[in-house]
Amino acid sequence: MKKMTLAIAAALCILALLAGCGGSTDTYKAGTYTAAAEGYAGDVEVEVEFDQDSLLSVKVTDHNETVGIGDRAIEELPAKIVEELTWEVDAVASATVTSEAIKTAVKDC
């Protein structure tokens, strides 16, 4: 009898814990957001668009990064972030500071 009561109590505790796991099915808060992070030559500003299920677009809207170096990250990284649906992507070689600025700004959105 003691084992049965203990088993029932354990099952009820597990059910109570799992009941809190059924929250919202939305992954993102839909909308367009902007943020900036410090790059190599000043702030790198981004605009990020989400719907409730995914990251739709990332655009670098303003920067003062070095032409020919930081430009590579600005051209390549936004598409990579959208493709992988995360800001946790590899930095562009030779443009690490600019890459990290873009990723940080997207994360802040």
Side-chain angles (χ1 to χ4, degrees):
M1 183 68 181
K2 234 179 179 182
K3 286 183 181 181
M4 180 65 107
T5 304
L6 186 58
I8 291 172
L12 289 173
C13 286
I14 290 171
L15 287 174
L17 287 172
L18 292 176
C21 295
S24 173
T25 58
D26 292 347
T27 306
Y28 301 102
K29 185 173 180 184
T32 302
Y33 303 92
T34 59
E38 183 70 28
Y40 185 78
D43 282 350
V44 176
E45 296 178 10
V46 300
E47 178 181 279
V48 183
E49 183 180 5
F50 298 94
D51 67 12
Q52 64 271 12
D53 298 318
S54 66
L55 192 157
L56 300 174
S57 69
V58 174
K59 297 175 190 166
V60 175
T61 57
D62 193 29
H63 71 88
N64 293 311
E65 299 304 279
T66 307
V67 176
I69 299 173
D71 285 354
R72 288 190 51 231
I74 291 164
E75 292 168 5
E76 297 173 21
L77 211 55
K80 187 187 261 187
I81 291 169
V82 172
E83 179 182 325
E84 297 189 24
L85 297 176
T86 182
W87 59 83
E88 295 175 330
V89 296
D90 291 336
V92 174
S94 300
T96 307
V97 174
T98 304
S99 296
E100 292 304 319
I102 294 168
K103 291 173 11 175
T104 299
V106 170
K107 179 181 175 185
D108 289 347
C109 285

